[in-house]
Amino acid sequence: MTRSERRAARIAVDLLGGDDAPAVVVDGALLALNADPMLRLLPVGPQVVLDDLLARLPAAHRERTEPVPVETDGTLPVHAAVRLVSAERADAVVSAGATGSAVRSAVAHCGRFPGLRRPALAVTVPAARGPLILLDVGAAPDLTAADLVRHAVLGAGYATATLGVARPRVGLLSIGTEPGVGDELRRAADRELAAGVLPPDTDYVGLVEGYDVPVGGVADVVVTDGFTGNVLLKGIEGALRLSRGAAGALRLNHGTDGLRPDRAVAGAVRCGPGVDAGPDGADPPVDGDGVPRAAALLGVAASVVVCHGAADASDVASGIGFAARMVAGHTVDRVARMDRVFRELTRAPGGVRGDEATTGPADDDRRPR
Amino acid sequence: MTRSERRAARIAVDLLGGDDAPAVVVDGALLALNADPMLRLLPVGPQVVLDDLLARLPAAHRERTEPVPVETDGTLPVHAAVRLVSAERADAVVSAGATGSAVRSAVAHCGRFPGLRRPALAVTVPAARGPLILLDVGAAPDLTAADLVRHAVLGAGYATATLGVARPRVGLLSIGTEPGVGDELRRAADRELAAGVLPPDTDYVGLVEGYDVPVGGVADVVVTDGFTGNVLLKGIEGALRLSRGAAGALRLNHGTDGLRPDRAVAGAVRCGPGVDAGPDGADPPVDGDGVPRAAALLGVAASVVVCHGAADASDVASGIGFAARMVAGHTVDRVARMDRVFRELTRAPGGVRGDEATTGPADDDRRPR
């Protein structure tokens, strides 16, 4: 399917999410409509904000925009936006609001993958030796070893879909590379992963370390808990910001806690190893817009993109464009397929119950042992 | 006490620790002897390595060097080096070997602070807005909330002693700054710290995030578990290495998992806020050599300095010089004093049993619940 043949993606956008909402979200929506003539937008927010947006739209853009008003004192727009997806009125949701709200809405209204305890937030890091997927970066701080294994599967499916890596190499983030290092959680997860539980066409490369994430080259997927992943990503972000003075042109990739590359870095990423069009001919995942400056929520039966709370208009537009590419590239289906293979091979919870998503309230209050 | 009046520090050096030992350690020992005419060195290693070192020493240096041979097939030199401290033949130990071996030796032969479950490895990060202490960076991956509180106390004492900060600001590393964010461990530790358990002349500033560590400015001490701290420090290291190409002169501080500043950064650190001579007139902690490229083990009754496994000769010399400054500045005593105040005020374990160090085997096999 080429870009011109693909069905227009319908993207629901949370107008009130983010530190500088609604201004930057309205501006970002305009940028996104300009950038993709196929895009259909469902802005979700208070009527007054929708009126402002519509007033600024050229007639051609207005035809592709379906405003969805919500009461200011009622439901959060992100919840209403997610419900548009579960009602099949939209194909994806973009929010720069609180991660927790987006996760809870998605779990409650669209459902988790069968037997999955916690969804994971995944970013594409434009590492020096080629891009990699880092997950979880903040959806779930408290994880069990079984959660980490399951997230490794989701990350592998996501790397296949978005980086075009045919046989993703999966690494477990730890504090050394010899088996046995790390905390209890990592030692347990490493034992499970080393036992060969990952689906065919993935390789477990063992333990990787903190510097492997910005430097890259050793794994296509780095899996960790949401606490460590968030701290690491923000540390890398801070270090790059720190060196920007010395580096001159170096620009941060401010995806959800991610790296905002300057064009040179984005170019390097595009030319890096393993970055090609997806195997089924979907659009190249890293296009002229560079690495997505947003994170994808994996393990829910919907395309949910979370932008950094401090996103600017261009970041929001990048997130909307990325959501459209996720829809066009059937990213969620491909992640779900990898997850299903894992469940069938390992008889993981949900593996014998078919492929229906687990709906119901988020289990944010359940704690790992 | 001025530099000329101080007693010569006697530093035991593990000749076999580090990826490139003994060559870089021997070279580092020579550099350190050249740099400090007061230094006395006790190199510990196989006779053949000692012979090589002694053959290369000028007569004046040889007088200040007391070789300590160990069998190559017997005790690790780091264990023998630590025993020199417990026998009061040396004032401090420097090793670029495995952190675990140094920690176990120090705990077994010199003892932990009363009631302390795990010692912590602390680095000085030359953050952009002024240096800060990050701990733990790898001594203890599995911690309890009580451990984090105790480490906050050790870090505060260390910041007072080495950064010359009269009233250290202590932050707890998390994934947001609003109370209630983070994992179970952090939520529990934040509640305890916010209840005001830290000693007088310290301020708990609440939660800090990953980017606050390289950027700095919000806290003088950032406390976290050894897993997260190690991952974060290596991530920052990797990001700075990645940007070095763009930054030109930017040089990494390769302390134990730390940042190796170029002279400009070291200069900025020296001039940064809160960096003055210690209150009791000890040498300025950040001298012409820049931020120490090594980590200090806190919570043991000995001065133990751990260099990065990939240390070069100049890093080893920096670690030896730092150990000598710790001895001259009574750093361990000052950390112990802060810890004692905490125990007396909170009736923490050990607080009513006096100040004897807890000796015996390391409790590396004990796991937190």
Side-chain angles (χ1 to χ4, degrees), chain A residues 128 142 173 175 183-184 186-187 209-211 214 227 230-231 234-235 237 239 242-243 367, chain B residues 128 142 173 175 183-184 186-187 209-211 214 227 230-231 234-235 237 239 242-243 367:
Chain A
D142 285 300
L173 188 63
I175 61 175
D183 58 6
E184 271 190 283
R186 260 42 76 144
R187 289 195 297 270
E209 299 193 75
Y211 46 68
F227 186 87
N230 186 282
V231 165
K234 287 177 179 167
E237 184 181 76
L242 173 59
S243 65
R367 303 274 167 248
Chain B
D142 284 301
L173 189 64
I175 61 175
D183 58 5
E184 269 190 285
R186 258 44 74 146
R187 288 195 298 270
E209 297 193 76
Y211 46 67
F227 186 87
N230 186 283
V231 165
K234 287 175 177 166
E237 183 180 76
L242 171 60
S243 65
R367 303 273 167 250

mmCIF file of all heavy atoms in Angstrom, chain A residues 128 142 173 175 183-184 186-187 209-211 214 227 230-231 234-235 237 239 242-243 367, chain B residues 128 142 173 175 183-184 186-187 209-211 214 227 230-231 234-235 237 239 242-243 367:
data_model
loop_
_atom_site.group_PDB
_atom_site.id
_atom_site.type_symbol
_atom_site.label_atom_id
_atom_site.label_comp_id
_atom_site.label_asym_id
_atom_site.label_seq_id
_atom_site.Cartn_x
_atom_site.Cartn_y
_atom_site.Cartn_z
ATOM 1 N N ALA A 128 23.393 6.691 18.469
ATOM 2 C CA ALA A 128 24.445 7.017 17.499
ATOM 3 C C ALA A 128 24.643 5.901 16.477
ATOM 4 O O ALA A 128 24.884 6.164 15.307
ATOM 5 C CB ALA A 128 25.751 7.290 18.241
ATOM 6 N N ASP A 142 6.321 -0.076 38.735
ATOM 7 C CA ASP A 142 6.552 -1.307 39.507
ATOM 8 C C ASP A 142 6.231 -2.518 38.645
ATOM 9 O O ASP A 142 5.065 -2.768 38.334
ATOM 10 C CB ASP A 142 5.683 -1.319 40.763
ATOM 11 C CG ASP A 142 6.207 -0.390 41.847
ATOM 12 O OD1 ASP A 142 7.353 -0.612 42.286
ATOM 13 O OD2 ASP A 142 5.486 0.540 42.226
ATOM 14 N N LEU A 173 18.013 -4.104 30.267
ATOM 15 C CA LEU A 173 18.850 -3.077 30.883
ATOM 16 C C LEU A 173 19.290 -3.519 32.278
ATOM 17 O O LEU A 173 18.465 -3.908 33.108
ATOM 18 C CB LEU A 173 18.066 -1.767 30.979
ATOM 19 C CG LEU A 173 18.839 -0.532 31.427
ATOM 20 C CD1 LEU A 173 19.941 -0.176 30.438
ATOM 21 C CD2 LEU A 173 17.894 0.654 31.606
ATOM 22 N N ILE A 175 23.145 -3.405 35.153
ATOM 23 C CA ILE A 175 24.287 -2.591 35.587
ATOM 24 C C ILE A 175 25.605 -3.315 35.334
ATOM 25 O O ILE A 175 26.617 -3.037 35.976
ATOM 26 C CB ILE A 175 24.156 -2.193 37.069
ATOM 27 C CG1 ILE A 175 24.111 -3.417 37.982
ATOM 28 C CG2 ILE A 175 22.905 -1.374 37.275
ATOM 29 C CD1 ILE A 175 24.113 -3.067 39.469
ATOM 30 N N ASP A 183 19.686 -6.139 40.001
ATOM 31 C CA ASP A 183 18.848 -6.376 41.169
ATOM 32 C C ASP A 183 18.074 -7.679 40.993
ATOM 33 O O ASP A 183 18.174 -8.368 39.980
ATOM 34 C CB ASP A 183 17.927 -5.177 41.433
ATOM 35 C CG ASP A 183 17.044 -4.859 40.238
ATOM 36 O OD1 ASP A 183 17.063 -5.620 39.256
ATOM 37 O OD2 ASP A 183 16.317 -3.842 40.299
ATOM 38 N N GLU A 184 17.308 -8.023 42.015
ATOM 39 C CA GLU A 184 16.538 -9.279 41.990
ATOM 40 C C GLU A 184 15.668 -9.389 40.749
ATOM 41 O O GLU A 184 15.579 -10.439 40.113
ATOM 42 C CB GLU A 184 15.589 -9.298 43.191
ATOM 43 C CG GLU A 184 16.163 -9.877 44.426
ATOM 44 C CD GLU A 184 15.044 -10.061 45.444
ATOM 45 O OE1 GLU A 184 14.640 -9.040 46.046
ATOM 46 O OE2 GLU A 184 14.569 -11.200 45.599
ATOM 47 N N ARG A 186 15.915 -7.981 37.788
ATOM 48 C CA ARG A 186 16.640 -8.203 36.540
ATOM 49 C C ARG A 186 17.210 -9.615 36.482
ATOM 50 O O ARG A 186 17.241 -10.239 35.419
ATOM 51 C CB ARG A 186 17.764 -7.179 36.408
ATOM 52 C CG ARG A 186 17.488 -5.996 35.523
ATOM 53 C CD ARG A 186 16.127 -5.375 35.624
ATOM 54 N NE ARG A 186 15.926 -4.551 36.801
ATOM 55 C CZ ARG A 186 15.208 -3.441 36.841
ATOM 56 N NH1 ARG A 186 14.578 -3.014 35.755
ATOM 57 N NH2 ARG A 186 15.058 -2.759 37.966
ATOM 58 N N ARG A 187 17.696 -10.126 37.626
ATOM 59 C CA ARG A 187 18.250 -11.481 37.606
ATOM 60 C C ARG A 187 17.167 -12.493 37.229
ATOM 61 O O ARG A 187 17.403 -13.421 36.449
ATOM 62 C CB ARG A 187 18.884 -11.819 38.955
ATOM 63 C CG ARG A 187 20.191 -11.050 39.210
ATOM 64 C CD ARG A 187 20.993 -11.655 40.370
ATOM 65 N NE ARG A 187 20.270 -11.586 41.617
ATOM 66 C CZ ARG A 187 20.329 -10.575 42.484
ATOM 67 N NH1 ARG A 187 21.094 -9.537 42.235
ATOM 68 N NH2 ARG A 187 19.641 -10.598 43.601
ATOM 69 N N GLU A 209 23.758 -2.036 29.126
ATOM 70 C CA GLU A 209 23.966 -1.056 30.189
ATOM 71 C C GLU A 209 23.447 0.326 29.780
ATOM 72 O O GLU A 209 23.061 0.548 28.632
ATOM 73 C CB GLU A 209 25.444 -0.996 30.540
ATOM 74 C CG GLU A 209 25.964 -2.328 31.055
ATOM 75 C CD GLU A 209 27.328 -2.195 31.702
ATOM 76 O OE1 GLU A 209 27.404 -1.688 32.831
ATOM 77 O OE2 GLU A 209 28.325 -2.594 31.063
ATOM 78 N N GLY A 210 23.488 1.236 30.749
ATOM 79 C CA GLY A 210 22.947 2.578 30.534
ATOM 80 C C GLY A 210 23.518 3.274 29.314
ATOM 81 O O GLY A 210 22.786 3.910 28.557
ATOM 82 N N TYR A 211 24.833 3.164 29.087
ATOM 83 C CA TYR A 211 25.403 3.892 27.944
ATOM 84 C C TYR A 211 25.045 3.274 26.610
ATOM 85 O O TYR A 211 25.188 3.914 25.566
ATOM 86 C CB TYR A 211 26.912 4.098 28.065
ATOM 87 C CG TYR A 211 27.722 2.908 28.481
ATOM 88 C CD1 TYR A 211 27.864 1.803 27.655
ATOM 89 C CD2 TYR A 211 28.362 2.886 29.714
ATOM 90 C CE1 TYR A 211 28.609 0.708 28.048
ATOM 91 C CE2 TYR A 211 29.102 1.800 30.111
ATOM 92 C CZ TYR A 211 29.230 0.709 29.270
ATOM 93 O OH TYR A 211 29.958 -0.380 29.670
ATOM 94 N N PRO A 214 22.026 5.600 24.674
ATOM 95 C CA PRO A 214 22.351 6.693 23.743
ATOM 96 C C PRO A 214 23.337 6.278 22.651
ATOM 97 O O PRO A 214 23.298 6.834 21.553
ATOM 98 C CB PRO A 214 22.964 7.773 24.643
ATOM 99 C CG PRO A 214 23.432 7.050 25.857
ATOM 100 C CD PRO A 214 22.493 5.890 26.041
ATOM 101 N N PHE A 227 10.179 3.006 35.899
ATOM 102 C CA PHE A 227 10.919 3.935 36.752
ATOM 103 C C PHE A 227 12.312 4.167 36.171
ATOM 104 O O PHE A 227 12.699 5.294 35.858
ATOM 105 C CB PHE A 227 11.015 3.403 38.191
ATOM 106 C CG PHE A 227 11.650 4.392 39.135
ATOM 107 C CD1 PHE A 227 10.875 5.343 39.770
ATOM 108 C CD2 PHE A 227 13.024 4.388 39.347
ATOM 109 C CE1 PHE A 227 11.459 6.286 40.612
ATOM 110 C CE2 PHE A 227 13.605 5.328 40.189
ATOM 111 C CZ PHE A 227 12.826 6.270 40.827
ATOM 112 N N ASN A 230 12.316 5.881 32.641
ATOM 113 C CA ASN A 230 12.024 7.310 32.679
ATOM 114 C C ASN A 230 13.224 8.107 33.187
ATOM 115 O O ASN A 230 13.596 9.134 32.607
ATOM 116 C CB ASN A 230 10.790 7.533 33.567
ATOM 117 C CG ASN A 230 10.323 8.969 33.556
ATOM 118 O OD1 ASN A 230 10.916 9.817 34.213
ATOM 119 N ND2 ASN A 230 9.273 9.256 32.793
ATOM 120 N N VAL A 231 13.856 7.610 34.260
ATOM 121 C CA VAL A 231 15.032 8.296 34.810
ATOM 122 C C VAL A 231 16.154 8.327 33.774
ATOM 123 O O VAL A 231 16.797 9.362 33.556
ATOM 124 C CB VAL A 231 15.504 7.589 36.110
ATOM 125 C CG1 VAL A 231 16.901 8.040 36.491
ATOM 126 C CG2 VAL A 231 14.525 7.856 37.244
ATOM 127 N N LYS A 234 15.377 10.776 30.828
ATOM 128 C CA LYS A 234 15.506 12.179 31.236
ATOM 129 C C LYS A 234 16.969 12.534 31.519
ATOM 130 O O LYS A 234 17.382 13.671 31.301
ATOM 131 C CB LYS A 234 14.633 12.456 32.459
ATOM 132 C CG LYS A 234 13.148 12.494 32.108
ATOM 133 C CD LYS A 234 12.283 12.688 33.343
ATOM 134 C CE LYS A 234 10.809 12.761 32.978
ATOM 135 N NZ LYS A 234 9.937 12.645 34.160
ATOM 136 N N GLY A 235 17.747 11.586 32.002
ATOM 137 C CA GLY A 235 19.172 11.831 32.227
ATOM 138 C C GLY A 235 19.897 12.063 30.917
ATOM 139 O O GLY A 235 20.726 12.976 30.793
ATOM 140 N N GLU A 237 18.490 13.093 28.168
ATOM 141 C CA GLU A 237 17.971 14.375 27.682
ATOM 142 C C GLU A 237 18.716 15.542 28.336
ATOM 143 O O GLU A 237 19.147 16.481 27.663
ATOM 144 C CB GLU A 237 16.474 14.456 28.016
ATOM 145 C CG GLU A 237 15.768 15.679 27.506
ATOM 146 C CD GLU A 237 14.288 15.664 27.922
ATOM 147 O OE1 GLU A 237 13.978 15.936 29.094
ATOM 148 O OE2 GLU A 237 13.464 15.372 27.055
ATOM 149 N N ALA A 239 21.709 15.484 29.724
ATOM 150 C CA ALA A 239 23.118 15.498 29.318
ATOM 151 C C ALA A 239 23.264 16.116 27.936
ATOM 152 O O ALA A 239 24.186 16.893 27.683
ATOM 153 C CB ALA A 239 23.681 14.079 29.327
ATOM 154 N N LEU A 242 22.799 19.765 28.251
ATOM 155 C CA LEU A 242 24.017 20.301 28.868
ATOM 156 C C LEU A 242 25.113 20.509 27.836
ATOM 157 O O LEU A 242 25.826 21.502 27.859
ATOM 158 C CB LEU A 242 24.477 19.303 29.932
ATOM 159 C CG LEU A 242 25.809 19.503 30.632
ATOM 160 C CD1 LEU A 242 25.834 20.836 31.346
ATOM 161 C CD2 LEU A 242 26.039 18.372 31.623
ATOM 162 N N SER A 243 25.225 19.561 26.915
ATOM 163 C CA SER A 243 26.314 19.640 25.951
ATOM 164 C C SER A 243 25.930 20.492 24.754
ATOM 165 O O SER A 243 26.747 20.745 23.892
ATOM 166 C CB SER A 243 26.705 18.236 25.486
ATOM 167 O OG SER A 243 25.628 17.653 24.786
ATOM 168 N N ARG A 367 -0.286 -3.999 42.867
ATOM 169 C CA ARG A 367 1.158 -3.864 43.046
ATOM 170 C C ARG A 367 1.822 -5.204 42.787
ATOM 171 O O ARG A 367 1.275 -6.236 43.160
ATOM 172 C CB ARG A 367 1.475 -3.441 44.482
ATOM 173 C CG ARG A 367 0.820 -2.159 44.912
ATOM 174 C CD ARG A 367 1.660 -0.958 44.505
ATOM 175 N NE ARG A 367 0.866 0.250 44.642
ATOM 176 C CZ ARG A 367 0.472 0.977 43.626
ATOM 177 N NH1 ARG A 367 0.804 0.650 42.396
ATOM 178 N NH2 ARG A 367 -0.246 2.059 43.816
ATOM 179 N N ALA B 128 25.969 21.032 35.312
ATOM 180 C CA ALA B 128 26.153 22.344 34.693
ATOM 181 C C ALA B 128 25.974 23.481 35.690
ATOM 182 O O ALA B 128 26.679 24.486 35.641
ATOM 183 C CB ALA B 128 25.177 22.496 33.533
ATOM 184 N N ASP B 142 19.484 -3.551 45.362
ATOM 185 C CA ASP B 142 18.173 -3.768 45.990
ATOM 186 C C ASP B 142 18.131 -3.059 47.329
ATOM 187 O O ASP B 142 18.804 -3.470 48.278
ATOM 188 C CB ASP B 142 17.912 -5.265 46.194
ATOM 189 C CG ASP B 142 17.546 -5.966 44.892
ATOM 190 O OD1 ASP B 142 16.548 -5.566 44.278
ATOM 191 O OD2 ASP B 142 18.275 -6.898 44.503
ATOM 192 N N LEU B 173 15.573 10.829 43.819
ATOM 193 C CA LEU B 173 15.361 10.642 42.377
ATOM 194 C C LEU B 173 14.048 9.924 42.115
ATOM 195 O O LEU B 173 13.791 8.859 42.680
ATOM 196 C CB LEU B 173 16.531 9.844 41.799
ATOM 197 C CG LEU B 173 16.592 9.725 40.278
ATOM 198 C CD1 LEU B 173 16.793 11.079 39.613
ATOM 199 C CD2 LEU B 173 17.714 8.775 39.866
ATOM 200 N N ILE B 175 10.330 10.000 39.082
ATOM 201 C CA ILE B 175 9.942 10.181 37.670
ATOM 202 C C ILE B 175 8.944 11.314 37.523
ATOM 203 O O ILE B 175 8.182 11.372 36.559
ATOM 204 C CB ILE B 175 9.402 8.867 37.071
ATOM 205 C CG1 ILE B 175 8.156 8.388 37.808
ATOM 206 C CG2 ILE B 175 10.471 7.801 37.118
ATOM 207 C CD1 ILE B 175 7.515 7.147 37.182
ATOM 208 N N ASP B 183 7.767 4.710 41.994
ATOM 209 C CA ASP B 183 7.408 3.341 42.368
ATOM 210 C C ASP B 183 7.157 3.269 43.869
ATOM 211 O O ASP B 183 7.281 4.254 44.590
ATOM 212 C CB ASP B 183 8.490 2.357 41.900
ATOM 213 C CG ASP B 183 9.854 2.688 42.467
ATOM 214 O OD1 ASP B 183 9.956 3.617 43.284
ATOM 215 O OD2 ASP B 183 10.828 2.011 42.085
ATOM 216 N N GLU B 184 6.777 2.115 44.326
ATOM 217 C CA GLU B 184 6.472 1.907 45.744
ATOM 218 C C GLU B 184 7.613 2.360 46.646
ATOM 219 O O GLU B 184 7.400 3.011 47.667
ATOM 220 C CB GLU B 184 6.279 0.409 45.990
ATOM 221 C CG GLU B 184 4.885 -0.086 45.841
ATOM 222 C CD GLU B 184 4.821 -1.518 46.367
ATOM 223 O OE1 GLU B 184 5.306 -2.425 45.663
ATOM 224 O OE2 GLU B 184 4.321 -1.696 47.486
ATOM 225 N N ARG B 186 10.020 4.515 46.142
ATOM 226 C CA ARG B 186 10.213 5.960 46.213
ATOM 227 C C ARG B 186 9.085 6.639 46.988
ATOM 228 O O ARG B 186 9.320 7.588 47.730
ATOM 229 C CB ARG B 186 10.285 6.534 44.796
ATOM 230 C CG ARG B 186 11.661 6.855 44.292
ATOM 231 C CD ARG B 186 12.744 5.825 44.550
ATOM 232 N NE ARG B 186 12.653 4.637 43.724
ATOM 233 C CZ ARG B 186 13.696 3.952 43.281
ATOM 234 N NH1 ARG B 186 14.935 4.299 43.617
ATOM 235 N NH2 ARG B 186 13.533 2.862 42.541
ATOM 236 N N ARG B 187 7.860 6.138 46.816
ATOM 237 C CA ARG B 187 6.753 6.763 47.546
ATOM 238 C C ARG B 187 6.956 6.616 49.053
ATOM 239 O O ARG B 187 6.733 7.545 49.829
ATOM 240 C CB ARG B 187 5.410 6.165 47.102
ATOM 241 C CG ARG B 187 5.010 6.613 45.680
ATOM 242 C CD ARG B 187 3.540 6.329 45.398
ATOM 243 N NE ARG B 187 3.231 4.910 45.449
ATOM 244 C CZ ARG B 187 3.290 4.072 44.417
ATOM 245 N NH1 ARG B 187 3.612 4.525 43.223
ATOM 246 N NH2 ARG B 187 3.007 2.806 44.554
ATOM 247 N N GLU B 209 14.337 14.744 39.157
ATOM 248 C CA GLU B 209 14.190 13.844 38.013
ATOM 249 C C GLU B 209 15.537 13.569 37.349
ATOM 250 O O GLU B 209 16.551 14.185 37.681
ATOM 251 C CB GLU B 209 13.206 14.451 37.022
ATOM 252 C CG GLU B 209 11.822 14.605 37.631
ATOM 253 C CD GLU B 209 10.767 14.901 36.557
ATOM 254 O OE1 GLU B 209 10.382 13.971 35.852
ATOM 255 O OE2 GLU B 209 10.368 16.071 36.448
ATOM 256 N N GLY B 210 15.506 12.669 36.387
ATOM 257 C CA GLY B 210 16.739 12.247 35.724
ATOM 258 C C GLY B 210 17.551 13.391 35.159
ATOM 259 O O GLY B 210 18.774 13.406 35.282
ATOM 260 N N TYR B 211 16.882 14.392 34.538
ATOM 261 C CA TYR B 211 17.681 15.460 33.928
ATOM 262 C C TYR B 211 18.276 16.409 34.945
ATOM 263 O O TYR B 211 19.174 17.175 34.633
ATOM 264 C CB TYR B 211 16.904 16.226 32.857
ATOM 265 C CG TYR B 211 15.505 16.633 33.205
ATOM 266 C CD1 TYR B 211 15.240 17.561 34.179
ATOM 267 C CD2 TYR B 211 14.428 16.069 32.528
ATOM 268 C CE1 TYR B 211 13.946 17.918 34.491
ATOM 269 C CE2 TYR B 211 13.137 16.423 32.833
ATOM 270 C CZ TYR B 211 12.894 17.345 33.813
ATOM 271 O OH TYR B 211 11.611 17.695 34.118
ATOM 272 N N PRO B 214 22.458 15.619 35.389
ATOM 273 C CA PRO B 214 23.474 16.316 34.591
ATOM 274 C C PRO B 214 23.315 17.833 34.604
ATOM 275 O O PRO B 214 24.302 18.550 34.471
ATOM 276 C CB PRO B 214 23.264 15.760 33.170
ATOM 277 C CG PRO B 214 21.868 15.253 33.151
ATOM 278 C CD PRO B 214 21.580 14.787 34.552
ATOM 279 N N PHE B 227 20.874 0.344 41.454
ATOM 280 C CA PHE B 227 20.532 -0.052 40.086
ATOM 281 C C PHE B 227 20.244 1.190 39.243
ATOM 282 O O PHE B 227 20.883 1.432 38.215
ATOM 283 C CB PHE B 227 19.318 -0.998 40.080
ATOM 284 C CG PHE B 227 19.021 -1.553 38.714
ATOM 285 C CD1 PHE B 227 19.643 -2.702 38.266
ATOM 286 C CD2 PHE B 227 18.148 -0.893 37.860
ATOM 287 C CE1 PHE B 227 19.396 -3.193 36.990
ATOM 288 C CE2 PHE B 227 17.896 -1.371 36.584
ATOM 289 C CZ PHE B 227 18.519 -2.537 36.155
ATOM 290 N N ASN B 230 23.313 3.573 38.803
ATOM 291 C CA ASN B 230 24.311 3.081 37.859
ATOM 292 C C ASN B 230 23.838 3.250 36.423
ATOM 293 O O ASN B 230 24.586 3.710 35.550
ATOM 294 C CB ASN B 230 24.606 1.613 38.182
ATOM 295 C CG ASN B 230 25.742 1.041 37.346
ATOM 296 O OD1 ASN B 230 25.551 0.731 36.180
ATOM 297 N ND2 ASN B 230 26.923 0.927 37.940
ATOM 298 N N VAL B 231 22.578 2.896 36.170
ATOM 299 C CA VAL B 231 22.019 3.035 34.812
ATOM 300 C C VAL B 231 22.025 4.506 34.391
ATOM 301 O O VAL B 231 22.430 4.850 33.276
ATOM 302 C CB VAL B 231 20.583 2.464 34.760
ATOM 303 C CG1 VAL B 231 19.855 2.921 33.506
ATOM 304 C CG2 VAL B 231 20.616 0.933 34.820
ATOM 305 N N LYS B 234 25.639 5.837 33.689
ATOM 306 C CA LYS B 234 26.175 5.318 32.428
ATOM 307 C C LYS B 234 25.433 5.904 31.233
ATOM 308 O O LYS B 234 26.014 6.085 30.163
ATOM 309 C CB LYS B 234 26.115 3.789 32.419
ATOM 310 C CG LYS B 234 27.156 3.154 33.334
ATOM 311 C CD LYS B 234 27.011 1.640 33.404
ATOM 312 C CE LYS B 234 28.110 1.031 34.274
ATOM 313 N NZ LYS B 234 27.807 -0.370 34.617
ATOM 314 N N GLY B 235 24.137 6.188 31.395
ATOM 315 C CA GLY B 235 23.377 6.825 30.313
ATOM 316 C C GLY B 235 23.891 8.225 30.035
ATOM 317 O O GLY B 235 24.055 8.629 28.876
ATOM 318 N N GLU B 237 26.883 9.306 30.758
ATOM 319 C CA GLU B 237 28.221 9.108 30.192
ATOM 320 C C GLU B 237 28.135 8.826 28.689
ATOM 321 O O GLU B 237 28.857 9.416 27.891
ATOM 322 C CB GLU B 237 28.891 7.937 30.919
ATOM 323 C CG GLU B 237 30.310 7.642 30.507
ATOM 324 C CD GLU B 237 30.878 6.458 31.291
ATOM 325 O OE1 GLU B 237 30.530 5.297 30.991
ATOM 326 O OE2 GLU B 237 31.660 6.688 32.200
ATOM 327 N N ALA B 239 25.658 9.558 26.640
ATOM 328 C CA ALA B 239 25.136 10.726 25.911
ATOM 329 C C ALA B 239 26.229 11.752 25.701
ATOM 330 O O ALA B 239 26.335 12.346 24.615
ATOM 331 C CB ALA B 239 23.962 11.339 26.681
ATOM 332 N N LEU B 242 28.512 10.516 23.103
ATOM 333 C CA LEU B 242 27.827 10.659 21.815
ATOM 334 C C LEU B 242 27.946 12.078 21.291
ATOM 335 O O LEU B 242 28.151 12.300 20.100
ATOM 336 C CB LEU B 242 26.360 10.298 22.036
ATOM 337 C CG LEU B 242 25.341 10.539 20.934
ATOM 338 C CD1 LEU B 242 25.729 9.755 19.711
ATOM 339 C CD2 LEU B 242 23.960 10.118 21.419
ATOM 340 N N SER B 243 27.840 13.055 22.182
ATOM 341 C CA SER B 243 27.852 14.438 21.742
ATOM 342 C C SER B 243 29.263 14.995 21.646
ATOM 343 O O SER B 243 29.451 16.110 21.222
ATOM 344 C CB SER B 243 27.030 15.304 22.713
ATOM 345 O OG SER B 243 27.653 15.325 23.967
ATOM 346 N N ARG B 367 18.443 -10.019 51.147
ATOM 347 C CA ARG B 367 17.643 -9.298 50.148
ATOM 348 C C ARG B 367 16.591 -8.476 50.866
ATOM 349 O O ARG B 367 16.026 -8.923 51.861
ATOM 350 C CB ARG B 367 16.928 -10.290 49.230
ATOM 351 C CG ARG B 367 17.863 -11.232 48.528
ATOM 352 C CD ARG B 367 18.374 -10.630 47.222
ATOM 353 N NE ARG B 367 19.489 -11.407 46.735
ATOM 354 C CZ ARG B 367 20.741 -10.958 46.717
ATOM 355 N NH1 ARG B 367 21.033 -9.749 47.147
ATOM 356 N NH2 ARG B 367 21.704 -11.715 46.266
#
